[in-house]
Amino acid sequence: MSQFQVRTDLALEAREKFEEDNVEIKGVRVEEEYRESSEIKITTMVIETENGAKTMGKPKGTYITLEADSMDDQDEDYHREISLELARIIRKLLPASKETLSVLVAGLGNREVTPDALGPRVVDNMMITRHVLKEFGRYAFGEEEVNAVSGIVPGVMAQTGMESQEIIRGVVDETKPDVMIAIDALAARSTRRLSRTIQITDTGINPGSGVGNHRHGLSEKTIGIPVIAIGVPTVVDAATIVNDTMHTLIQAMEENTHLKTLSTGLNALNDMEKYELIRELLSPQLNTMFVTPKDIDESVKRLSYTISEGLNIAFA
């Protein structure tokens, strides 16, 4: 049945699916906060046990989600309040063993495909310091303690013929950073979360998993250093859109006397059966299609500044 599961990279959405089915998940702790001044909702989910990880289909670790309806809106400061919150979360997840860190920022994705270009564009906007520190020392910045920040955009296999993990592992072996920040575009289960949600996790990332392109993962286990992954959903499965539309249609039919009987029949199907039906009805060309908003180019531009500024603040 796994082939009929709604694709999502967001741990928050995976948990919500269990809540909809009234299934209790043991070994998973959830905390929610709301910043009234900035209208940001922060959900922290910690998968504490192997059983919880198996149930969720996610590795053990911490998953923090920032949600803000205004995140995709035009803003002269590129939503600095979100950047500040992001910086606070990143600092909390960074290794505490050293006062200054050597940080490698990896922008995953394909620069030539707009919905997948978030990672490369974030690296473009980063304040890179490693080369200056090596050449002139920390006093070039007028500070006694400066983090060494380097960046890489490994591209995708179709461009390089190499796994992102292979390229990054070689860079890590050569430059020996203390921690890596991986930025990537994600797939969501709900259209309302597109470009309005940021997920931060200390478990690493599997590039391309949300759209079914399973690549070698980037985690402490595979590359040898802690990996903090930052992602924003920019695409949604076409079948998910139809599935959401079906729920709305059933609600409308229940209010119509002539169509109420038909809605009763559809309601007899559980969510998995409805989604399976949709996937079977869609043509082979459509059931693997992913959809993105028409203004995704502007969204990615704004989000890349918001995330890069958060990283610059975190490592300042």
Side-chain angles (χ1 to χ4, degrees), residues 120-157:
R121 294 193 182 185
V122 169
V123 174
D124 289 346
N125 299 326
M126 285 290 300
M127 187 172 79
I128 303 299
T129 60
R130 182 176 179 270
H131 61 302
V132 179
L133 288 171
K134 286 178 70 69
E135 184 72 23
F136 303 106
R138 63 182 183 273
Y139 296 108
F141 296 93
E143 303 285 345
E144 291 194 8
E145 304 294 342
V146 182
N147 294 305
V149 180
S150 55
I152 183 173
V153 178
V156 294
M157 182 176 280

Side-chain angles (χ1 to χ4, degrees), residues 2 12 92 94 101 121 131 149 168 176 226 230 241 279:
S2 61
L12 179 66
K92 186 168 67 173
L94 287 172
L101 295 169
R121 294 193 182 185
H131 61 302
V149 180
I168 290 171
K176 295 177 173 52
I230 301 173
I241 296 176
R279 291 286 296 270

